[in-house]
Amino acid sequence: MPSFIPELVLVRKTALEYPLGSELKERFEARGIKLILYEDRIPALHRQTFREGYLAAKRVMVLSVWRQGEFQTCKPSAHYQLPLVSGCPGLCEYCYLNTNLGRRPYVKVNVNVKDVLGRAEEYVRRRKPEATIFEGAATSDPVAVEHWTGSLRNAVEFFAALDGAKFRFVTKFTDVDGLTAIEHGGKTEIRFSINCTSIIDEYETGVPRLKSRLTAARKCAGAGYPVGFLIAPIFAFEGWREKYGQMLRLVREYLPEKTPVFFELITHRFTTRSKKIIRQAYPDSSVPMEETERSFKYGQFGCGKYVYPGVVLKELKEFFLNEIERLFPGAKILYFV
Ligand code: SF4
């Protein structure tokens, strides 16, 4: 799958004061990509419908500057989000970012990478002797733009040399060659987000297919990174046992025996807000979001979500736990939700 090339780049003027900002501007100009400079506010893209605006924004990259505030926390998978990139050019219909980014799903790159890493170091120092874990993909898929930014590479090398720090990120993208030849010290964990092929074909546009992701995972494992798989969202559709069984067997085939792997398992859920956005952005989507077929679960902040009923969750859980244990004996399953 060809790497992401933006159709339009919005450049905050102050981003040009940083090496990555000015370098990217030159590279985009050399390729004839349209650039627009802005002062403080990211210019709005005026389109007639939500869907048109949404799709247009997915082809936009914003070069911005991290404002030197506090990092957002990132429980339970890490202590802090690392604000290098937000957004993603992929078009997965059920994407969790749809709810966060709504109308403005463009890829925003913070070019002052040194400032971000410098602040990360402060957090690590403050929390010592406890280790501090940073998540690089809380609001993005940073690998999608790594061939432009190189920010992950910098972060991986930075954390490799920093005592008391760990780094992790998750991706559906496969541009990992820049990461496999660098020093990571085993301190960066790379998770690949996967699903069975029928779900990928149906709902995941603009992202690499399963076998490409597994090839990338194998490269990362071969380079000594701790590698995991985020299986999400898991759907209970007709024939799910067979399809997810095939997927797990394929993962097994792609990974050399004895590669230590771990799994995170997330069943499909939706909120009233995410359903509304998906319906606007993907009017023909067949992502199952029928409230009557789900159980309602109150969330932490009062807003609730629709999850599979207990009996379905139990079946899914038993299946995944058994199959993973059978194919990957001893592999850790960090959680099933
Ligand atoms: Fe969303 Fe991940 Fe798909 Fe990007 S790859 S659209 S972040 S689900």
Side-chain angles (χ1 to χ4, degrees):
M1 205 193 108
S3 300
F4 170 63
I5 300 172
E7 278 169 11
L8 170 67
V9 180
L10 306 174
V11 187
R12 190 185 167 108
K13 279 190 183 156
T14 49
L16 299 176
E17 293 164 17
Y18 297 87
L20 180 59
S22 54
E23 181 208 311
L24 282 174
K25 177 173 176 279
E26 276 175 28
R27 283 174 68 194
F28 289 131
E29 278 172 341
R31 298 189 67 141
I33 295 168
K34 186 176 172 196
L35 284 103
I36 297 177
L37 293 183
Y38 70 92
E39 296 281 349
D40 288 326
R41 287 179 69 87
I42 299 173
L45 304 169
H46 295 291
R47 296 289 188 283
Q48 288 220 312
T49 65
F50 180 95
R51 179 172 163 78
E52 284 166 7
Y54 177 90
L55 293 179
K58 281 276 183 180
R59 310 302 306 165
V60 173
M61 187 187 288
V62 177
L63 301 186
S64 187
V65 177
W66 172 64
R67 288 166 194 256
Q68 320 255 355
E70 295 295 326
F71 287 180
Q72 301 274 317
T73 55
C74 193
K75 285 176 184 162
S77 69
H79 296 102
Y80 296 103
Q81 303 181 11
L82 194 73
L84 295 174
V85 182
S86 67
C88 170
L91 294 166
C92 304
E93 295 178 15
Y94 43 64
C95 177
Y96 66 107
L97 294 180
N98 288 337
T99 322
N100 294 355
L101 305 176
R103 273 177 187 278
R104 313 191 107 196
Y106 35 60
V107 189
K108 190 165 104 182
V109 169
N110 285 326
V111 297
N112 51 338
V113 177
K114 271 195 182 160
D115 294 338
V116 172
L117 298 178
R119 176 58 57 88
E121 189 168 357
E122 279 174 32
Y123 284 113
V124 172
R125 212 179 310 126
R126 262 190 247 162
R127 289 177 37 86
K128 269 186 173 172
E130 233 191 282
T132 306
I133 306 171
F134 297 92
E135 168 64 61
T139 58
S140 69
D141 190 321
V143 179
V145 290
E146 178 65 9
H147 58 292
W148 292 109
T149 66
S151 303
L152 282 178
R153 196 175 59 226
N154 287 329
V156 168
E157 288 182 318
F158 177 81
F159 288 119
L162 184 63
D163 261 358
K166 284 191 176 163
F167 184 40
R168 64 197 317 251
F169 59 86
V170 60
T171 185
K172 284 192 175 78
F173 285 82
T174 52
D175 264 324
V176 295
D177 288 349
L179 302 176
T180 50
I182 60 170
E183 187 51 61
H184 56 76
K187 290 166 75 184
T188 293
E189 222 172 62
I190 306 181
R191 290 114 77 214
F192 286 85
S193 169
I194 57 171
N195 219 311
C196 60
T197 45
S198 51
I199 294 293
I200 291 177
D201 291 345
E202 184 81 22
Y203 303 132
E204 297 184 1
T205 307
V207 294
R209 304 293 87 184
L210 179 60
K211 287 184 177 175
S212 307
R213 292 181 218 173
L214 296 179
T215 303
R218 181 166 57 198
K219 281 187 199 168
C220 293
Y225 282 96
V227 164
F229 293 96
L230 172 68
I231 305 176
I234 297 170
F235 287 97
F237 57 96
E238 208 179 316
W240 62 263
R241 276 193 177 75
E242 190 198 334
K243 295 291 183 188
Y244 281 118
Q246 282 169 359
M247 178 198 75
L248 288 169
R249 287 195 295 279
L250 201 62
V251 177
R252 177 67 285 167
E253 263 176 47
Y254 269 71
L255 286 185
E257 277 300 320
K258 300 214 171 100
T259 305
V261 282
F262 57 90
F263 292 87
E264 293 161 272
L265 308 168
I266 305 179
T267 55
H268 181 248
R269 65 258 341 274
F270 64 91
T271 62
T272 305
R273 179 169 152 72
S274 67
K275 177 173 175 174
K276 190 171 161 218
I277 292 173
I278 291 170
R279 290 278 180 258
Q280 285 178 298
Y282 304 96
D284 301 326
S285 175
S286 60
V287 173
M289 290 183 291
E290 206 41 75
E291 288 84 352
T292 52
E293 293 170 6
R294 300 292 178 101
S295 297
F296 186 74
K297 194 173 162 192
Y298 280 101
Q300 233 180 329
F301 306 105
C303 52
K305 55 196 165 198
Y306 292 91
V307 299
Y308 281 114
V311 57
V312 179
L313 288 177
K314 190 165 172 280
E315 282 178 28
L316 288 167
K317 188 172 182 179
E318 268 174 23
F319 170 82
F320 276 97
L321 267 50
N322 289 339
E323 278 301 283
I324 289 173
E325 179 53 29
R326 192 174 70 76
L327 292 164
F328 306 89
K332 263 198 208 154
I333 296 174
L334 302 188
Y335 55 84
F336 172 97
V337 289

